[in-house]
Amino acid sequence: MKDNNITTGINIDEDTKRYYPNSMLASQIIGFCGSDNQGLDGIEAKYDTELKGKQGAIQRHTDAKGGEIGDEGEKYVSAIDGNDLILTIDSTIQSIAEKYLQEACIDNKCTDGGNIVIMNPQNGDILAMATYPSYDLNNPYEPYTDELKEVWDSLEQSEKTKNLQAVWRNKAIADTYEPGSVFKVITASAALEEGVVTDIDKEGQFSCTGGIEVAGVRIKCWRYYRPHGSESLRQALMNSCNPVFIGLGQKIGVEKYYSYLNKFRLLNRTGIDLPGEANSIFLAENKAGPVELATISFGQRFEITPIQLVTAVSSIANGGNSISPRVVKQIVNSQTKEVTDIEIKNNGSVISKETSEKVLSMMESVVSEGTRKKCKSCRI
Ligand SMILES: [Zn+2]
């Protein structure tokens, strides 16, 4: 027995494994670990150095052949726990978001799934960030839908990997999309801030004839068949009238418009403390002509991530400041229990308080009496 380096009958070695008590909850935010407990995705990867702690060990002095030297025997070095992270995620809000997202994706047959982001605009805290479908953090390599479970064994390894990588993906930060009409609030903010419009309720300030000519191209209002006619800015937003916002974009001009894209932090990643954030896709400023400016003004022909939109709209909601989003707010030292607050990141003023109040008041009208009447919480 001695020759095989087994000294006595049974040796017990302690081992640790991550266990996630809320298996499916917030899986794409939390992420999971590899076989050596190294973080591979989500917060587990981003904060790996904080979380991993120090491994314990059994030390002894040996010669080149592994024979013991001296008579000190073995020394046991105990492991040091990793630090604790306090997340901004509210598990109740997260569960509710996941529940309704799942229902909405199933009801609307969203084959690509979907996501919901809920952010506190005052401090950037992400209260919920749901992605559907979700997966079990305790079994990240297992099939996650009934359809996949049925065919899993017959799939090639590459197919399995493709499916797993798709479900691990945090769509709210890693995927871009064309935001559409919700982007009109950005154009309205820039127009008010630049003084292109001042009174949001001035009757007859704008007139929709069903379309607008831009550099020889006629761009239609979505309700070209029955034009909106005379409108105030509030009415134009409630009607989601394209020509009015194209007209505002023209008055603001490419250079100024792009300066607002920049101030709203839509040209850069938000810097959220999660891995895999994508950036927006806008035409370069020097390539943007009148037609491109027109389509950007009502939210088309460019792509942003959901987190970029939520961050931009949060600066309208909080009185005009650009606050970076975050998912970790405190780190607790496992040894000393000392709590370190993570600073709220304020990137400065985007629009004035007065402008933000005007835009908020119009946004309220959109959901209380305008085109989004049915959905007070839709999209934003
Ligand atoms: Zn119109």
Side-chain angles (χ1 to χ4, degrees):
M1 290 292 271
K2 188 117 192 164
D3 293 340
N4 294 329
N5 282 336
I6 298 171
T7 48
T8 53
I10 299 170
N11 288 273
I12 297 174
D13 273 344
E14 225 177 271
D15 196 7
T16 55
K17 188 180 185 300
R18 276 265 200 278
Y19 175 69
Y20 302 92
N22 296 312
S23 53
M24 302 282 281
L25 191 75
S27 47
Q28 285 93 352
I29 304 170
I30 296 170
F32 56 93
C33 290
S35 52
D36 292 330
N37 283 337
Q38 78 279 25
L40 293 181
D41 205 356
I43 289 167
E44 292 281 21
K46 188 75 180 181
Y47 287 91
D48 191 42
T49 46
E50 290 289 346
L51 292 166
K52 75 178 171 193
K54 262 200 170 133
Q55 270 192 344
I58 294 167
Q59 295 175 344
R60 61 180 168 181
H61 297 280
T62 58
D63 60 23
K65 286 180 182 160
E68 200 154 330
I69 305 173
D71 50 12
E72 286 173 39
E74 288 179 343
K75 194 176 144 205
Y76 179 71
V77 182
S78 54
I80 299 175
D81 285 344
N83 293 334
D84 289 328
L85 301 180
I86 311 292
L87 304 190
T88 60
I89 301 294
D90 179 316
S91 59
T92 308
I93 300 176
Q94 178 74 26
S95 324
I96 295 169
E98 290 187 7
K99 175 176 179 267
Y100 287 102
L101 174 64
Q102 175 169 5
E103 277 180 27
C105 286
I106 293 170
D107 288 352
N108 296 294
K109 300 186 173 59
C110 301
T111 47
D112 279 346
N115 65 83
I116 293 179
V117 180
I118 300 172
M119 173 167 159
N120 178 343
Q122 307 300 336
N123 56 11
D125 283 3
I126 299 295
L127 303 173
M129 185 182 268
T131 297
Y132 180 82
S134 188
Y135 65 96
D136 181 357
L137 287 170
N138 293 309
N139 299 295
Y141 295 93
E142 299 292 317
Y144 46 90
T145 62
D146 290 341
E147 294 81 41
L148 277 175
K149 277 175 198 157
E150 269 174 35
V151 297
W152 198 247
D153 290 336
S154 65
L155 292 182
E156 298 277 332
Q157 189 53 47
S158 62
E159 270 302 301
K160 289 182 182 172
T161 306
K162 208 173 113 193
N163 277 294
L164 291 172
Q165 281 172 345
V167 78
W168 296 340
R169 209 173 159 78
N170 186 340
K171 292 176 198 291
I173 63 166
D175 286 359
T176 58
Y177 76 117
E178 187 179 63
S181 289
V182 68
F183 209 72
K184 286 172 180 155
V185 299
I186 302 294
T187 305
S189 301
L192 285 163
E193 192 68 14
E194 287 301 307
V196 170
V197 204
T198 46
D199 183 354
I200 57 174
D201 289 306
K202 190 176 171 187
E203 278 182 37
Q205 176 145 32
F206 305 100
S207 176
C208 168
T209 57
I212 186 172
E213 191 98 4
V214 180
V217 180
R218 186 168 167 80
I219 303 178
K220 284 184 190 168
C221 183
W222 66 271
R223 219 182 65 177
Y224 60 92
Y225 49 85
R226 193 157 56 87
H228 290 111
S230 166
E231 296 167 292
S232 66
L233 184 61
R234 185 192 300 273
Q235 287 164 335
L237 194 69
M238 280 160 59
N239 292 332
S240 197
C241 179
N242 294 346
V244 170
F245 290 88
I246 293 171
L248 293 177
Q250 286 175 327
K251 287 201 177 115
I252 297 164
V254 170
E255 197 184 325
K256 268 266 146 33
Y257 198 99
Y258 270 67
S259 79
Y260 279 94
L261 291 180
N262 193 35
K263 279 200 261 187
F264 273 114
R265 297 181 69 80
L266 290 158
L267 300 177
N268 292 296
R269 291 174 180 85
T270 66
I272 190 169
D273 48 344
L274 285 171
E277 186 181 8
N279 200 1
S280 55
I281 306 163
F282 278 95
L283 204 62
E285 188 183 330
N286 60 5
K287 298 260 169 59
V291 176
E292 290 78 15
L293 177 62
T295 55
I296 293 172
S297 302
F298 64 96
Q300 293 186 11
R301 308 240 184 114
F302 65 91
E303 293 192 4
I304 55 177
T305 60
I307 191 66
Q308 282 178 312
L309 181 69
V310 175
T311 304
V313 175
S314 287
S315 35
I316 299 173
N318 68 19
N321 293 303
S322 167
I323 311 284
S324 298
R326 59 177 190 172
V327 291
V328 174
K329 60 179 172 187
Q330 288 174 322
I331 299 174
V332 184
N333 186 299
S334 65
Q335 304 301 295
T336 63
K337 302 296 171 204
E338 188 193 343
V339 177
T340 309
D341 290 329
I342 293 183
E343 223 180 306
I344 294 167
K345 202 167 169 226
N346 187 335
N347 306 299
S349 173
V350 184
I351 51 172
S352 67
K353 194 156 185 2
E354 198 192 342
T355 297
S356 86
E357 278 164 6
K358 286 178 179 172
V359 181
L360 283 180
S361 157
M362 292 192 291
M363 287 166 76
E364 174 69 29
S365 302
V366 173
V367 289
S368 59
E369 37 191 316
T371 49
R372 297 287 180 266
K373 202 171 169 179
K374 279 187 186 159
C375 54
K376 275 205 174 176
S377 55
C378 268
R379 303 193 76 165
I380 349 176

